[in-house]
Amino acid sequence: MTADRADDIVALSRLSAGPGAVGALLDWLARRTGGTAALLDVDGRTLAVPAKRSAPRPPILAAAAAAVAGMHPRGTPSAVVGGEPDPIDVVRLDAGDEAGRAPYLVVAGRSERRHSVLLADAARFLGLCWRLAEAEQARGRVASAMTQSREAVLHLLMAGSLAAARRIAATLGPKLPSLARVYVVECPAGRRLQVADQIERFARGRAWIVPCPVQPHHLIALVPPEREHRGLDRLIAERAPEARVGASQEMPLQETALGYEQAFHALAVARGVPGRYARFDRHTGLTPFLGGRGPAWAAGFLAPCLTHVPARRADPGAEELLATLNSWLTFDSGAGRHLKIHRNTLYARLRLLDGLLGLDLTRVADQSAAWLALRLHAVHRTFTAPPAASTLDDLLATPAAGVWARSQLLPLEGAGLPAGAETVRAWLRADTRLPATASALAISAPATRKRLARIEQVLGRSLLHAPSAKHELWLAMRALGTL
């Protein structure tokens, strides 16, 4: 082996181990031969060009593509197209392609001597790097498909479609648990995979883990109670110092949406405590306090949506509209990312819902009524035409609803926050807009935000970030007649 060839192989080896190896190798080869280089597939399409130098001119690529078209059927490994002073070398890569569709290396340009040995060496290195790049792309496609499938399962669970969620989950694994605790883990976006691996190990392969499609810094995990090894929330916080963890109560699978809200509210508390983890263990939902009239009211409230028949097949039907409504109430403007739809599509659906239900879904009062109706509908999913229904105020006027409402606001009374209830009331009346709330309280917007952040810690609920406790707080204050 000559010294020049040894130097070339060392250079090729070094570039093969670096990032963007294929482009870097083509760049080096073009510089080394005094010409230009590219990779073509068997159909003559350009697959890769030098990372920094210019790509071959179209006439060169056309001539090389014609050569490949003749070489591929005959299995010819290499050829020289044209002649001096501008020959074009075409060499098939050893890419281990059993289907016989390995790409071809094209090198063109003036040269005082042939580079057959150099091209053969370069083709071997390029073949290996190309196989690695293809494998990495395939792995990325599989990972992306898996993530999207898991997002679909989570979306179905949040919408209450248990049967469909179980069918998809059965093919992906692990099996969805009938009872689980929901965790929301907040960590740097670049660390989500590592934290997910830790959760997987701690839960011994039984956790259902999904990167949140709305919040890029969040992971969502459903973990069976029997797999909570020494308190999963504490373990994650210990092993991932940059993470914060919120956990729900143990929830039936059909109440995954409620479990997610609980975990998100617990996360708001975890941001302000030394251990960086918190569990939601105080809240009891309103729906059990409403008795038999609650489902009838919800059925009447949602009837225009539940019976909606779209004018065109491409228009959203009842199920899509309910999913959109639920996502809007949970994620606010992040609903488009959750549903994987354009924001114009989202707002068009919201306008349709406004018209069907007679609401203005930008107002907290209407949002809260819809939120309660969806919660009741999730528990009693069978739709029957209701009798003359009670109003929302009738439902909230019961003694049981009053007990629930007082339990929601009681922490504000005992926390030494004299303006706590007043701040919440002003915030809800302003439809949670900070400038309007600040104006009503005659304080600055930053001071208003600080007050609400303090109230988050006292209530153990998220207010400033969706999903927010604003709907339950509005219902509680309405039930007590203070709003």
Side-chain angles (χ1 to χ4, degrees), residues 118-130:
L118 173 62
L119 295 183
D121 290 338
R124 282 191 288 271
F125 280 96
L126 277 166
L128 175 61
C129 293
W130 181 258

Side-chain angles (χ1 to χ4, degrees), residues 36-345:
T36 187
L39 289 186
L40 303 184
D41 66 10
V42 297
D43 298 315
R45 290 188 293 264
T46 303
L47 297 176
V49 296
K52 298 178 181 178
R53 299 172 70 90
S54 60
R57 291 178 287 109
I60 294 175
L61 292 175
V68 168
M71 294 167 60
H72 177 63
R74 298 194 299 269
T76 305
S78 63
V80 178
V81 181
E84 298 295 343
D86 295 307
I88 303 172
D89 289 275
V90 182
V91 182
R92 186 179 63 205
L93 300 187
D94 179 14
D97 193 334
E98 297 179 358
R101 297 186 64 83
Y104 287 77
L105 168 64
V106 175
V107 178
R110 290 182 179 273
S111 178
E112 296 179 357
R113 59 186 178 85
R114 307 304 314 135
H115 294 275
S116 56
V117 175
L118 173 62
L119 295 183
D121 290 338
R124 282 191 288 271
F125 280 96
L126 277 166
L128 175 61
C129 293
W130 181 258
R131 289 170 64 184
L132 290 174
E134 286 284 278
E136 182 63 23
Q137 289 179 9
R139 188 200 64 79
R141 288 192 293 270
V142 171
S144 177
M146 181 68 74
T147 298
Q148 292 181 23
S149 298
R150 288 180 174 272
E151 284 183 17
V153 171
L154 178 65
H155 177 72
L156 290 168
L157 288 174
M158 298 281 277
S161 301
L162 264 63
R166 288 186 186 277
R167 285 196 299 272
I168 299 175
T171 65
L172 301 174
K175 180 181 178 182
L176 287 172
S178 57
L179 187 69
R181 194 183 298 274
V182 181
Y183 292 84
V184 176
V185 182
E186 185 176 69
C187 61
R191 285 273 290 155
R192 290 204 300 187
L193 290 179
Q194 294 93 321
V195 174
D197 287 341
Q198 290 181 351
I199 298 173
E200 185 75 13
R201 289 197 302 273
F202 297 155
R204 303 170 190 174
R206 292 290 305 279
W208 187 268
I209 307 168
V210 183
C212 180
V214 178
Q215 304 287 350
H217 299 283
H218 288 185
L219 275 171
I220 303 170
L222 276 65
V223 183
E226 68 272 14
R227 295 297 178 182
E228 291 189 288
H229 177 59
R230 294 197 304 115
L232 185 59
D233 43 10
R234 182 165 61 87
L235 277 173
I236 297 170
E238 289 174 354
R239 302 290 179 84
E242 69 274 40
R244 298 174 179 83
V245 187
S248 73
Q249 298 172 325
E250 294 180 7
M251 307 294 293
L253 193 61
Q254 61 267 28
E255 295 187 18
T256 298
L258 178 57
Y260 171 74
E261 289 187 14
Q262 288 186 355
F264 194 90
H265 293 315
L267 178 62
V269 177
R271 294 189 183 108
V273 298
R276 292 177 289 103
Y277 67 90
R279 289 194 176 187
F280 190 93
D281 58 5
R282 181 183 57 80
H283 175 64
T284 301
L286 172 60
T287 54
F289 293 93
L290 299 181
R293 291 193 301 170
W297 171 81
F301 187 95
L302 296 173
C305 183
L306 293 169
T307 57
H308 173 67
V309 178
R312 301 177 303 174
R313 294 181 62 183
D315 291 341
E319 185 172 345
E320 283 183 288
L321 289 176
L322 281 182
T324 301
L325 179 59
N326 186 64
S327 185
W328 171 254
L329 297 176
T330 302
F331 297 111
D332 198 57
S333 59
R337 295 191 298 275
H338 175 234
L339 297 171
K340 301 292 190 296
I341 58 177
H342 192 275
R343 64 178 181 178
N344 291 345
T345 303

